Amino acid sequence: MSFSIRLATLSDVPALVPLCLEMETHYQGDEAIDESMARRRLTHWFEKTSDSVMLVATKDGALVGHAVICPLFPAGNLDTAW
């Protein structure tokens, strides 16, 4: 069994779509976006986002999770927090 965490890339979008749709369905229920919209929004995020980072977790080569790290402003002392 091989487990790893790495930076996500645009090439991860196909594997991220079902994972993100599962999350969307959990939180949004019947109002969840569809596969096509999820693919477009993920692609747009990778093409346009420069101040955030997405990590993906893989187990035996399959994507099993993700996390996004992004700045929060304002945080304490009117500074940026991560």
Side-chain angles (χ1 to χ4, degrees):
M1 179 181 332
S2 173
F3 182 80
S4 68
I5 297 174
R6 62 173 174 75
L7 286 175
T9 67
L10 181 60
S11 66
D12 290 310
V13 167
L16 283 164
V17 168
L19 188 66
C20 290
L21 285 177
E22 183 178 339
M23 179 183 67
E24 278 290 305
T25 300
H26 173 79
Y27 287 109
Q28 305 300 327
D30 293 338
E31 301 298 317
I33 61 174
D34 63 18
E35 183 177 341
S36 176
M37 179 64 72
R39 184 176 307 278
R40 285 195 306 272
R41 288 189 176 169
L42 283 164
T43 299
H44 181 263
W45 186 87
F46 279 102
E47 291 175 345
K48 301 295 182 187
T49 301
S50 62
D51 61 349
S52 301
V53 173
M54 184 183 294
L55 303 174
V56 291
T58 61
K59 180 179 176 185
D60 298 329
L63 196 143
V64 295
H66 75 288
V68 176
I69 303 167
C70 55
L72 170 67
F73 182 84
N77 298 315
L78 287 176
D79 205 353
T80 301
W82 292 91

Coordinates of all heavy atoms in Angstrom, one line a residue:
M1 N 0.8 -1.2 0.0 CA 0.0 0.0 0.0 C 0.9 1.2 0.0 O 1.8 1.4 0.8 CB -0.9 0.0 1.2 CG -1.8 1.2 1.3 SD -2.9 1.3 2.8 CE -3.2 -0.4 3.2
S2 N 0.6 2.2 -0.9 CA 1.4 3.4 -1.1 C 0.5 4.6 -0.9 O -0.5 4.7 -1.5 CB 2.0 3.4 -2.4 OG 2.7 4.6 -2.6
F3 N 0.8 5.5 0.1 CA 0.1 6.7 0.4 C 1.0 7.9 0.2 O 2.1 7.8 0.6 CB -0.5 6.6 1.8 CG -1.3 7.8 2.2 CD1 -2.6 7.8 1.8 CD2 -0.8 8.8 2.9 CE1 -3.4 8.9 2.2 CE2 -1.6 9.9 3.3 CZ -2.9 9.9 2.9
S4 N 0.5 8.9 -0.5 CA 1.3 10.1 -0.7 C 0.4 11.3 -0.7 O -0.8 11.3 -1.0 CB 2.1 10.0 -1.9 OG 1.3 10.1 -3.1
I5 N 1.0 12.5 -0.4 CA 0.4 13.8 -0.5 C 1.2 14.7 -1.4 O 2.5 14.7 -1.2 CB 0.2 14.4 0.9 CG1 -0.7 13.6 1.7 CG2 -0.4 15.9 0.7 CD1 -0.9 14.0 3.1
R6 N 0.6 15.3 -2.4 CA 1.4 16.2 -3.3 C 0.5 17.4 -3.7 O -0.7 17.4 -3.5 CB 1.8 15.4 -4.5 CG 0.6 14.8 -5.3 CD 1.0 14.1 -6.6 NE -0.1 13.5 -7.3 CZ -1.0 14.1 -7.9 NH1 -1.0 15.4 -8.1 NH2 -2.0 13.4 -8.5
L7 N 1.2 18.3 -4.4 CA 0.4 19.4 -5.0 C -0.5 18.9 -6.1 O 0.0 18.1 -6.9 CB 1.4 20.5 -5.5 CG 2.1 21.4 -4.5 CD1 3.1 22.2 -5.2 CD2 1.1 22.2 -3.7
A8 N -1.7 19.4 -6.1 CA -2.6 19.1 -7.2 C -2.2 19.9 -8.5 O -1.7 21.0 -8.3 CB -4.0 19.4 -6.8
T9 N -2.6 19.4 -9.6 CA -2.3 20.1 -10.9 C -3.6 20.0 -11.7 O -4.5 19.3 -11.4 CB -1.2 19.5 -11.7 OG1 -1.5 18.2 -12.1 CG2 0.1 19.5 -10.9
L10 N -3.6 20.8 -12.8 CA -4.8 20.8 -13.7 C -5.0 19.3 -14.2 O -6.2 19.0 -14.4 CB -4.5 21.7 -14.9 CG -5.5 21.8 -16.0 CD1 -6.8 22.4 -15.4 CD2 -5.0 22.8 -17.1
S11 N -4.0 18.5 -14.3 CA -4.2 17.2 -14.8 C -5.0 16.3 -13.8 O -5.4 15.2 -14.2 CB -2.9 16.5 -15.2 OG -2.1 16.3 -14.0
D12 N -5.2 16.8 -12.6 CA -5.9 16.0 -11.6 C -7.4 16.3 -11.7 O -8.2 15.6 -11.0 CB -5.5 16.4 -10.2 CG -4.1 15.9 -9.8 OD1 -3.9 14.7 -10.1 OD2 -3.2 16.7 -9.4
V13 N -7.9 17.2 -12.5 CA -9.3 17.6 -12.6 C -10.2 16.3 -12.8 O -11.2 16.2 -12.1 CB -9.5 18.7 -13.6 CG1 -11.0 18.8 -13.9 CG2 -9.0 20.0 -13.1
P14 N -9.9 15.5 -13.8 CA -10.8 14.3 -14.0 C -10.9 13.5 -12.7 O -12.1 13.0 -12.4 CB -10.1 13.5 -15.1 CG -9.3 14.5 -15.8 CD -8.8 15.5 -14.8
A15 N -9.9 13.3 -11.9 CA -10.0 12.5 -10.7 C -10.7 13.3 -9.6 O -11.3 12.7 -8.6 CB -8.6 12.0 -10.2
L16 N -10.6 14.6 -9.6 CA -11.2 15.5 -8.6 C -12.7 15.6 -8.7 O -13.4 15.8 -7.8 CB -10.5 16.9 -8.6 CG -9.2 17.0 -7.9 CD1 -8.5 18.3 -8.3 CD2 -9.3 16.9 -6.4
V17 N -13.2 15.6 -10.0 CA -14.6 15.8 -10.2 C -15.5 14.9 -9.4 O -16.3 15.4 -8.7 CB -14.9 15.7 -11.7 CG1 -16.4 15.6 -12.0 CG2 -14.3 16.9 -12.5
P18 N -15.3 13.5 -9.4 CA -16.2 12.7 -8.6 C -16.1 13.0 -7.1 O -17.1 12.9 -6.4 CB -15.9 11.3 -9.0 CG -14.6 11.3 -9.8 CD -14.4 12.7 -10.2
L19 N -14.9 13.2 -6.7 CA -14.6 13.5 -5.2 C -15.4 14.8 -4.8 O -16.0 14.8 -3.8 CB -13.1 13.6 -5.0 CG -12.7 13.7 -3.6 CD1 -13.0 12.4 -2.8 CD2 -11.2 14.0 -3.5
C20 N -15.2 15.8 -5.6 CA -15.9 17.1 -5.3 C -17.4 17.0 -5.5 O -18.1 17.6 -4.7 CB -15.3 18.2 -6.2 SG -13.6 18.6 -5.8
L21 N -17.9 16.2 -6.4 CA -19.3 16.1 -6.6 C -19.9 15.3 -5.4 O -21.0 15.6 -4.9 CB -19.7 15.3 -7.8 CG -19.5 16.1 -9.1 CD1 -19.8 15.3 -10.3 CD2 -20.4 17.3 -9.1
E22 N -19.2 14.4 -4.8 CA -19.6 13.7 -3.6 C -19.8 14.7 -2.5 O -20.8 14.7 -1.7 CB -18.7 12.6 -3.2 CG -19.1 11.8 -2.0 CD -18.1 10.7 -1.7 OE1 -17.3 10.2 -2.6 OE2 -18.1 10.2 -0.6
M23 N -18.8 15.6 -2.3 CA -18.8 16.6 -1.3 C -20.0 17.6 -1.6 O -20.8 17.9 -0.6 CB -17.5 17.4 -1.3 CG -17.5 18.5 -0.2 SD -15.9 19.4 -0.3 CE -16.0 20.2 -1.9
E24 N -20.2 18.0 -2.8 CA -21.3 18.9 -3.2 C -22.6 18.3 -2.8 O -23.5 19.0 -2.3 CB -21.2 19.2 -4.7 CG -20.2 20.3 -5.0 CD -20.7 21.6 -4.6 OE1 -21.8 22.1 -4.9 OE2 -19.9 22.3 -3.8
T25 N -22.8 17.0 -3.2 CA -24.1 16.4 -2.9 C -24.3 16.3 -1.4 O -25.4 16.5 -0.9 CB -24.1 15.0 -3.5 OG1 -23.9 15.1 -4.9 CG2 -25.4 14.2 -3.2
H26 N -23.3 16.0 -0.6 CA -23.4 16.0 0.8 C -23.9 17.3 1.4 O -24.8 17.3 2.2 CB -22.1 15.6 1.5 CG -22.1 15.7 3.0 ND1 -22.6 14.7 3.7 CD2 -21.6 16.7 3.8 CE1 -22.5 15.1 5.0 NE2 -21.9 16.2 5.1
Y27 N -23.3 18.4 0.9 CA -23.7 19.7 1.4 C -24.9 20.4 0.8 O -25.6 21.1 1.4 CB -22.5 20.7 1.4 CG -21.4 20.4 2.4 CD1 -20.2 19.8 2.0 CD2 -21.6 20.6 3.7 CE1 -19.2 19.5 3.0 CE2 -20.7 20.3 4.7 CZ -19.5 19.7 4.3 OH -18.5 19.4 5.2
Q28 N -25.0 20.2 -0.5 CA -26.1 20.9 -1.3 C -27.3 20.0 -1.6 O -28.3 20.5 -2.1 CB -25.5 21.4 -2.6 CG -24.3 22.3 -2.4 CD -24.6 23.5 -1.6 OE1 -25.7 24.1 -1.6 NE2 -23.6 24.0 -0.8
G29 N -27.2 18.7 -1.5 CA -28.3 17.8 -1.8 C -28.7 17.9 -3.2 O -27.9 17.9 -4.1
D30 N -30.0 18.1 -3.4 CA -30.6 18.2 -4.8 C -30.1 19.5 -5.5 O -30.3 19.5 -6.8 CB -32.1 18.2 -4.7 CG -32.7 16.9 -4.3 OD1 -31.9 15.8 -4.4 OD2 -33.8 16.8 -3.8
E31 N -29.6 20.4 -4.8 CA -29.1 21.7 -5.5 C -27.7 21.6 -5.9 O -27.1 22.6 -6.4 CB -29.3 22.8 -4.5 CG -30.7 23.0 -4.0 CD -31.7 23.4 -5.2 OE1 -31.3 24.2 -6.0 OE2 -32.8 22.8 -5.2
A32 N -27.0 20.4 -5.8 CA -25.6 20.3 -6.2 C -25.4 20.5 -7.7 O -26.3 20.2 -8.5 CB -25.1 18.9 -5.8
I33 N -24.3 21.0 -8.0 CA -23.9 21.3 -9.4 C -23.7 19.9 -10.1 O -23.5 18.9 -9.4 CB -22.7 22.2 -9.6 CG1 -21.5 21.5 -8.9 CG2 -23.0 23.5 -9.0 CD1 -20.2 22.3 -9.2
D34 N -23.8 19.9 -11.4 CA -23.6 18.7 -12.2 C -22.1 18.5 -12.5 O -21.3 19.3 -12.3 CB -24.5 18.6 -13.4 CG -24.2 19.7 -14.4 OD1 -23.1 20.3 -14.4 OD2 -25.0 19.9 -15.3
E35 N -21.8 17.3 -13.1 CA -20.5 17.0 -13.5 C -19.8 18.0 -14.4 O -18.6 18.4 -14.3 CB -20.4 15.6 -14.1 CG -19.0 15.1 -14.5 CD -19.0 13.7 -15.0 OE1 -20.0 13.0 -14.8 OE2 -18.0 13.4 -15.6
S36 N -20.5 18.5 -15.4 CA -20.0 19.4 -16.4 C -19.6 20.7 -15.7 O -18.5 21.3 -16.0 CB -21.1 19.7 -17.5 OG -20.6 20.7 -18.4
M37 N -20.5 21.2 -14.8 CA -20.1 22.5 -14.1 C -19.0 22.2 -13.2 O -18.1 23.1 -13.0 CB -21.4 22.9 -13.3 CG -21.1 24.2 -12.5 SD -20.7 25.6 -13.6 CE -22.3 26.0 -14.3
A38 N -18.9 21.1 -12.5 CA -17.8 20.8 -11.6 C -16.5 20.8 -12.4 O -15.5 21.4 -11.9 CB -18.0 19.5 -10.9
R39 N -16.5 20.2 -13.5 CA -15.2 20.1 -14.3 C -14.8 21.6 -14.8 O -13.7 21.9 -14.7 CB -15.5 19.3 -15.6 CG -14.3 19.1 -16.4 CD -14.5 18.1 -17.6 NE -15.1 16.8 -17.1 CZ -14.4 15.8 -16.6 NH1 -13.1 15.9 -16.5 NH2 -15.0 14.7 -16.2
R40 N -15.8 22.4 -15.2 CA -15.5 23.7 -15.6 C -15.0 24.6 -14.4 O -14.0 25.3 -14.6 CB -16.7 24.4 -16.2 CG -17.1 23.9 -17.6 CD -18.1 24.9 -18.3 NE -19.3 25.1 -17.6 CZ -20.4 24.3 -17.6 NH1 -20.4 23.3 -18.4 NH2 -21.5 24.7 -16.9
R41 N -15.6 24.4 -13.3 CA -15.2 25.3 -12.1 C -13.8 24.8 -11.6 O -13.0 25.7 -11.2 CB -16.2 25.2 -11.0 CG -17.4 26.0 -11.4 CD -18.4 26.2 -10.3 NE -19.5 27.0 -10.8 CZ -20.6 27.2 -10.1 NH1 -20.8 26.6 -9.0 NH2 -21.6 28.0 -10.6
L42 N -13.5 23.5 -11.6 CA -12.2 23.1 -11.1 C -11.1 23.5 -12.1 O -10.1 24.0 -11.7 CB -12.2 21.5 -11.0 CG -12.9 21.0 -9.7 CD1 -13.1 19.5 -9.9 CD2 -12.0 21.3 -8.5
T43 N -11.4 23.4 -13.4 CA -10.5 23.8 -14.4 C -10.2 25.3 -14.3 O -9.0 25.7 -14.3 CB -11.0 23.5 -15.8 OG1 -11.1 22.1 -16.0 CG2 -10.0 24.0 -16.9
H44 N -11.2 26.1 -14.1 CA -11.1 27.5 -13.9 C -10.2 27.8 -12.7 O -9.4 28.7 -12.7 CB -12.4 28.2 -13.8 CG -12.4 29.7 -13.7 ND1 -12.5 30.3 -12.4 CD2 -12.3 30.7 -14.6 CE1 -12.4 31.6 -12.6 NE2 -12.2 31.8 -13.9
W45 N -10.5 27.1 -11.6 CA -9.7 27.4 -10.4 C -8.2 27.2 -10.7 O -7.4 28.0 -10.3 CB -10.2 26.4 -9.3 CG -9.5 26.7 -8.0 CD1 -9.9 27.7 -7.0 CD2 -8.3 26.2 -7.4 NE1 -9.0 27.7 -6.0 CE2 -8.0 26.8 -6.2 CE3 -7.4 25.2 -7.9 CZ2 -6.9 26.4 -5.4 CZ3 -6.3 24.9 -7.1 CH2 -6.1 25.5 -5.9
F46 N -7.8 26.1 -11.3 CA -6.4 25.8 -11.6 C -5.8 26.8 -12.6 O -4.7 27.2 -12.5 CB -6.2 24.4 -12.2 CG -6.2 23.3 -11.1 CD1 -7.3 22.5 -10.9 CD2 -5.1 23.1 -10.3 CE1 -7.3 21.6 -9.9 CE2 -5.1 22.2 -9.4 CZ -6.2 21.4 -9.1
E47 N -6.6 27.3 -13.5 CA -6.1 28.2 -14.5 C -6.0 29.7 -14.0 O -5.2 30.4 -14.4 CB -7.0 28.2 -15.7 CG -6.9 26.9 -16.5 CD -7.9 26.8 -17.7 OE1 -8.8 27.6 -17.8 OE2 -7.7 26.0 -18.5
K48 N -6.8 30.0 -13.0 CA -6.9 31.4 -12.5 C -6.4 31.7 -11.1 O -6.1 32.8 -10.8 CB -8.4 31.9 -12.6 CG -9.0 31.8 -14.0 CD -8.3 32.7 -15.0 CE -8.9 32.7 -16.3 NZ -8.2 33.4 -17.4
T49 N -6.4 30.7 -10.3 CA -6.0 30.9 -8.9 C -4.5 30.9 -8.7 O -3.8 30.0 -9.1 CB -6.6 29.8 -8.0 OG1 -8.0 29.9 -8.1 CG2 -6.3 30.0 -6.5
S50 N -4.0 31.9 -8.1 CA -2.6 32.0 -7.8 C -2.2 32.2 -6.3 O -1.1 32.0 -6.0 CB -2.0 33.2 -8.6 OG -2.5 34.4 -8.1
D51 N -3.2 32.5 -5.5 CA -2.9 32.7 -4.1 C -3.3 31.5 -3.2 O -3.2 31.6 -2.0 CB -3.5 34.0 -3.6 CG -5.0 34.0 -3.7 OD1 -5.6 33.1 -4.3 OD2 -5.6 34.9 -3.1
S52 N -3.8 30.4 -3.8 CA -4.2 29.3 -3.0 C -3.4 28.0 -3.5 O -2.9 28.0 -4.6 CB -5.7 29.0 -3.2 OG -6.4 30.1 -2.7
V53 N -3.4 27.0 -2.7 CA -2.7 25.8 -3.0 C -3.7 24.6 -2.8 O -4.4 24.6 -1.7 CB -1.5 25.6 -2.2 CG1 -0.8 24.2 -2.4 CG2 -0.5 26.7 -2.5
M54 N -3.7 23.6 -3.7 CA -4.5 22.4 -3.4 C -3.6 21.3 -3.3 O -2.6 21.1 -4.1 CB -5.5 22.2 -4.6 CG -6.4 20.9 -4.3 SD -7.6 20.5 -5.6 CE -8.7 21.9 -5.6
L55 N -3.8 20.5 -2.3 CA -3.0 19.2 -2.1 C -4.0 18.1 -2.3 O -5.2 18.2 -2.1 CB -2.5 19.1 -0.6 CG -1.6 20.3 -0.2 CD1 -1.3 20.1 1.3 CD2 -0.3 20.3 -1.0
V56 N -3.4 17.0 -2.9 CA -4.2 15.8 -3.1 C -3.5 14.6 -2.4 O -2.3 14.6 -2.3 CB -4.5 15.4 -4.5 CG1 -5.4 16.4 -5.2 CG2 -3.2 15.3 -5.3
A57 N -4.3 13.8 -1.8 CA -3.9 12.5 -1.2 C -4.2 11.4 -2.1 O -5.3 11.3 -2.7 CB -4.5 12.3 0.2
T58 N -3.2 10.5 -2.3 CA -3.4 9.4 -3.2 C -3.0 8.1 -2.4 O -2.1 8.1 -1.5 CB -2.5 9.4 -4.5 OG1 -1.1 9.4 -4.1 CG2 -2.9 10.6 -5.3
K59 N -3.8 7.1 -2.7 CA -3.5 5.7 -2.1 C -3.4 4.7 -3.2 O -4.4 4.6 -4.0 CB -4.6 5.4 -1.1 CG -4.5 4.0 -0.5 CD -5.6 3.8 0.5 CE -5.5 2.4 1.1 NZ -6.6 2.0 1.9
D60 N -2.3 4.1 -3.3 CA -2.0 3.2 -4.4 C -2.4 3.8 -5.8 O -2.9 3.2 -6.7 CB -2.8 1.9 -4.2 CG -2.4 1.1 -3.0 OD1 -1.2 1.2 -2.6 OD2 -3.3 0.5 -2.4
G61 N -2.0 5.1 -5.9 CA -2.2 5.8 -7.2 C -3.6 6.4 -7.4 O -3.7 7.2 -8.3
A62 N -4.6 6.1 -6.6 CA -5.9 6.7 -6.7 C -6.1 7.9 -5.8 O -5.7 7.8 -4.7 CB -6.9 5.6 -6.4
L63 N -6.7 8.9 -6.3 CA -6.9 10.1 -5.5 C -8.0 9.8 -4.5 O -9.1 9.3 -4.9 CB -7.4 11.2 -6.5 CG -7.3 12.6 -5.9 CD1 -6.9 13.6 -6.9 CD2 -8.6 13.0 -5.3
V64 N -7.7 10.0 -3.2 CA -8.7 9.7 -2.2 C -9.1 10.9 -1.3 O -9.9 10.8 -0.5 CB -8.1 8.6 -1.3 CG1 -8.0 7.3 -2.0 CG2 -6.8 9.0 -0.6
G65 N -8.4 12.1 -1.5 CA -8.8 13.2 -0.8 C -8.1 14.5 -1.3 O -7.2 14.4 -2.1
H66 N -8.6 15.6 -0.8 CA -7.9 16.9 -1.2 C -8.1 17.9 -0.1 O -9.0 17.8 0.8 CB -8.5 17.4 -2.5 CG -9.8 18.0 -2.4 ND1 -11.0 17.3 -2.2 CD2 -10.2 19.3 -2.5 CE1 -12.0 18.1 -2.2 NE2 -11.6 19.3 -2.3
A67 N -7.2 18.9 -0.1 CA -7.3 20.0 0.9 C -6.9 21.3 0.1 O -5.9 21.2 -0.7 CB -6.4 19.8 2.1
V68 N -7.5 22.4 0.4 CA -7.1 23.7 -0.2 C -6.6 24.6 0.9 O -7.3 24.7 2.0 CB -8.3 24.3 -0.9 CG1 -7.9 25.7 -1.5 CG2 -8.8 23.4 -2.1
I69 N -5.5 25.2 0.7 CA -4.9 26.1 1.6 C -5.0 27.5 0.9 O -4.5 27.7 -0.2 CB -3.5 25.8 2.0 CG1 -3.4 24.3 2.5 CG2 -2.9 26.8 2.9 CD1 -2.0 23.8 2.6
C70 N -5.7 28.4 1.6 CA -5.8 29.8 1.0 C -5.7 30.8 2.0 O -6.0 30.6 3.2 CB -7.1 29.9 0.2 SG -8.6 29.5 1.2
P71 N -5.4 32.0 1.6 CA -5.2 33.1 2.6 C -6.6 33.6 3.1 O -7.6 33.6 2.4 CB -4.5 34.2 1.8 CG -4.9 33.9 0.4 CD -5.0 32.4 0.3
L72 N -6.5 34.0 4.4 CA -7.7 34.6 5.0 C -7.3 36.0 5.4 O -6.4 36.2 6.2 CB -8.1 33.8 6.2 CG -9.2 34.4 7.1 CD1 -10.5 34.5 6.4 CD2 -9.3 33.6 8.4
F73 N -8.1 37.0 5.0 CA -7.9 38.3 5.4 C -9.2 39.0 5.6 O -10.1 38.9 4.8 CB -7.1 39.1 4.3 CG -6.8 40.5 4.7 CD1 -5.7 40.8 5.5 CD2 -7.6 41.6 4.3 CE1 -5.4 42.1 5.9 CE2 -7.4 42.9 4.8 CZ -6.3 43.1 5.5
P74 N -9.4 39.7 6.7 CA -8.4 40.0 7.7 C -8.4 38.9 8.8 O -9.4 38.4 9.2 CB -8.9 41.3 8.3 CG -10.3 41.3 8.1 CD -10.6 40.5 6.8
A75 N -7.2 38.6 9.3 CA -7.0 37.8 10.4 C -6.6 38.7 11.6 O -6.7 39.9 11.5 CB -6.0 36.7 10.1
G76 N -6.0 38.1 12.6 CA -5.6 38.9 13.8 C -4.6 39.9 13.4 O -3.8 39.8 12.5
N77 N -4.7 41.1 14.0 CA -3.8 42.2 13.8 C -3.9 42.7 12.3 O -3.0 43.3 11.8 CB -2.4 41.9 14.1 CG -2.2 41.6 15.6 OD1 -2.8 42.3 16.4 ND2 -1.5 40.6 15.9
L78 N -5.1 42.5 11.7 CA -5.2 42.9 10.3 C -4.1 42.3 9.4 O -3.7 42.9 8.4 CB -5.4 44.4 10.1 CG -6.7 44.9 10.6 CD1 -6.7 46.5 10.4 CD2 -7.9 44.3 9.8
D79 N -3.8 41.1 9.7 CA -2.7 40.4 8.9 C -3.4 39.3 8.1 O -4.6 39.0 8.3 CB -1.7 39.8 9.8 CG -0.3 39.6 9.2 OD1 -0.2 39.8 7.9 OD2 0.6 39.2 9.9
T80 N -2.7 38.6 7.3 CA -3.2 37.4 6.5 C -2.8 36.2 7.3 O -1.7 36.0 7.8 CB -2.5 37.4 5.1 OG1 -2.9 38.6 4.5 CG2 -3.1 36.3 4.3
A81 N -3.8 35.3 7.4 CA -3.5 33.9 8.0 C -3.8 32.9 6.9 O -4.5 33.1 5.9 CB -4.5 33.7 9.2
W82 N -3.2 31.7 7.1 CA -3.4 30.6 6.2 C -4.1 29.5 6.9 O -4.0 29.2 8.0 CB -2.0 30.1 5.7 CG -1.4 31.1 4.9 CD1 -0.5 32.1 5.3 CD2 -1.5 31.3 3.5 NE1 -0.1 32.8 4.3 CE2 -0.7 32.4 3.1 CE3 -2.2 30.6 2.5 CZ2 -0.6 32.8 1.8 CZ3 -2.1 31.1 1.2 CH2 -1.3 32.2 0.9

